[in-house]
Amino acid sequence: MFESLSEKLESAFKQIKGEGRITELNIAATVKDIRRALVDADVNYKIAKDFTDKIRETALGQKVITAVSPGQLMVKIVKDELVELMGGTESTFNTKGNPAVILIAGLQGSGKTTFSGKLANFLKTKKGLSPMLVAADIYRPAAIDQLKVLGGQIGIDVYSEPDNKDAVAIATNAIKEAKSKNKNVLIIDTAGRLAVDEAMMTEVANIKAAVNPNEILFVVDSMTGQDAVNTAKAFNDRLDFSGVVLTKLDGDTRGGAALSIKYTVNKPIKFVSSGEKMDTLDVFYPERMAQRILGMGDITTLVEKAQAQFDEVQAKKLEKKIRKNQFDFEDFKQQLDQIKKMGNIKDLLGMIPGVGKAVKDIDISDDSFKGIEALINSMTPQERANPDIISPGRKARIAKGAGKDLTELNAFLKQFEQMKEMMKMMNKMPMGRMGLGRR
Ligand SMILES: Nc1nc2c(ncn2[C@@H]2O[C@H](COP(=O)(O)OP(=O)(O)O)[C@@H](O)[C@H]2O)c(=O)[nH]1
Ligand SMILES: [Mg+2]
């Protein structure tokens, strides 16, 4: 995410990092590079200029603190300003009501329907609410089916009226239905158009007037850069929405939308969404995003993701097995599954400071583990539990079953042995004993 911006900002800091002190001259040079980096990331020129003017002003106003190098100081100033640009603090999300009504708006293809599903799943699993989805996209029959499929995946009821062509009536009927079924949040997925269009705006505005939403979320595809900002403006003028959802952050997005939207419409980004899996929705934190853009990683999100997938009981068991040096292939497979549940592997690695850049050009797809999984799956339960019994005869069978050759299996078995050796060593170290399995 935003790799090219991160890279360019890093190179903007390179020169000043080598300087002994901050001067008008080196500030000017750095600021110029930062501005170019922002414009290249598809941030509107005026916003980029405003941003860098502030950076320059703040930097010039700094007293020389000897403990902090000019490079560190500049990075800090830019980080604070990035946080500000993206909205400052985390915003709120209002789900009070019976039911609370969340209206979803945006262009066609921006990710409204996908996001509606993710939000329902999020409110159900993370907030303990009982949401219902409403299919108010009445123009494409497939739209209702799409929402129903998503609802089915996450166990959420979907309200629809396939023969009704009145989106406002569907929305108001849905409120009655929610009340009678004790659903406390209603998420209304509306129709979009390919471009801003009067009929669409009128329809959404009419739904708004009829259902009085707690939140109106404007969904925007972050890949569309400055266009995203123009669309946001048009929707906001008409709907006065309460927040923005940036989707497709897993794509090759440059960052322009994330950095420009708050400035343009003065509404906070509330959620960011990456990927098509229903559990890849994140609350937006300006601070964390700024850290990621500056290559400082985002350990907080990483830890949260790990904790969300982390099974305490299973971890205790695992800890015991590692202690007794009984870690086997079954455990290994379970660990892989847990990592995969946390989301896109490359995204996860990108949250570790310094690692994002290193893995940028490496192809780490979630499929990278497929080979290993195939090998483990090809083992019998006995073999998984007792790696020692894997004889040459068994090896041939396992490799064949996984569609791999013997060298690949041998390499994997060797890696596994090395890993166990490392675990054994860590067990002997006082630090390893203290750290393992504790939270
Ligand atoms: N990679 C990626 N694809 C997404 C994301 N959100 C939606 N999509 C895809 O984008 C397309 C349009 O999404 P959809 O939810 O139908 O958009 P809508 O027309 O606004 O309802 C679909 O193919 C989705 O699977 C995302 O965060 N990442
Ligand atoms: Mg849709």
Side-chain angles (χ1 to χ4, degrees), residues 106-115 118 137 140 146 189-190 219 247-251 273-276 280:
L107 292 182
Q108 188 173 319
S110 59
K112 290 182 301 299
T113 303
T114 309
F115 168 72
K118 288 182 182 186
D137 181 351
R140 297 175 306 138
Q146 185 192 0
D189 177 28
T190 63
V219 177
T247 63
K248 308 190 191 178
L249 280 184
D250 51 320
S273 167
S274 47
E276 296 174 54
T280 51

